[in-house]
């Protein structure tokens, strides 16, 4: 009986280690594909873009940053607490989309920022930041706790499409927060842990 239990435990732990190795390969491939999309030459926004096909697509467009802003609570190591600035953007095709212009420190929340015509480069993103526990926005203070495309697009009269700005021809006091590929990748450590446990178990 202990031999059977020992073998079952051993092969289970080895299987989990192999699964983590496969997940490592999958994650590395995913990171490589994201980096290729982010660093590719910018193109026009395609017709009817979708998350499945166009997530992280590098785009370039021109239009006007409109007056309103939504502020999403966040922080950075360098600048401390602040907000991501989400503004409506009127494209050359007369469509209003959402643009994440970047980061402002908390002290600059109510400061003036330039609006108007600009050439914008960035990446399409359908953020996955909202769940059951996400607090409702504080509409009175204009404080949001996540980038919620559905609610934000309704609030600003835009379609559910977000561009994360990485470059603007219109100079402003906003710190760019372009998409990065700092995805958590602990699968190698997990694989080593499972294989080590299998040796201990046997």
């Amino acid at each position: 009986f202990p031999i059977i239990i020992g073998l079952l435990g051993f092969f289970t732990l080895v299987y989990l280690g192999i699964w983590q190795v496969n997940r490592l390969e999958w994650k590395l491939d995913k990171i490589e594909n994201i980096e290729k999309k982010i660093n590719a030459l910018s193109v026009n926004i395609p017709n009817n873009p979708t998350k499945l096909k166009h997530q992280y697509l590098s785009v370039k467009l021109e239009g006007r940053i409109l007056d309103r802003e939504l502020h999403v609570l966040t922080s950075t190591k360098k600048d401390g607490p602040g907000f991501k600035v989400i503004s409506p953007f009127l494209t050359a095709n007369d469509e209003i989309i959402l643009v994440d212009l970047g980061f402002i420190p908390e002290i600059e929340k109510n400061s003036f920022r330039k609006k108007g015509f600009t050439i914008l480069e960035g990446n399409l993103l359908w953020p996955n930041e909202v769940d059951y526990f996400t607090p409702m926005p504080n509409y009175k203070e204009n404080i949001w706790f996540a980038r919620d495309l559905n609610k934000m697009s309704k609030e600003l009269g835009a379609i559910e499409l977000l561009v994360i700005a990485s470059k603007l021809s219109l100079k402003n006091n906003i710190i760019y927060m372009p998409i990065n590929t700092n995805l958590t990748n602990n699968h190698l450590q997990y694989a080593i842990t499972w294989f080590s446990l299998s040796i201990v178990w046997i």
Side-chain angles (χ1 to χ4, degrees), residues 24 29 32 49 57 59 63 66 101 121 138-139 142 144 152 155-156 166 172 180 183 188 190 193:
L24 174 63
D29 184 61
E32 183 181 359
L57 180 69
V59 296
L66 303 181
L101 296 173
E121 293 185 40
N138 183 335
Y139 292 101
N142 188 17
W144 296 63
M152 287 183 163
E155 182 71 14
L156 296 177
S166 59
N172 227 327
N180 60 59
L183 300 179
L188 179 60
Y190 294 154
T193 299

Side-chain angles (χ1 to χ4, degrees), residues 9 25 32 42-43 53 70 87 95 140 148 169:
E25 293 177 356
E32 183 181 359
S42 301
V43 299
K53 291 183 179 180
L70 301 180
S87 287
E95 289 183 326
K140 183 178 179 180
D148 187 330
S169 62

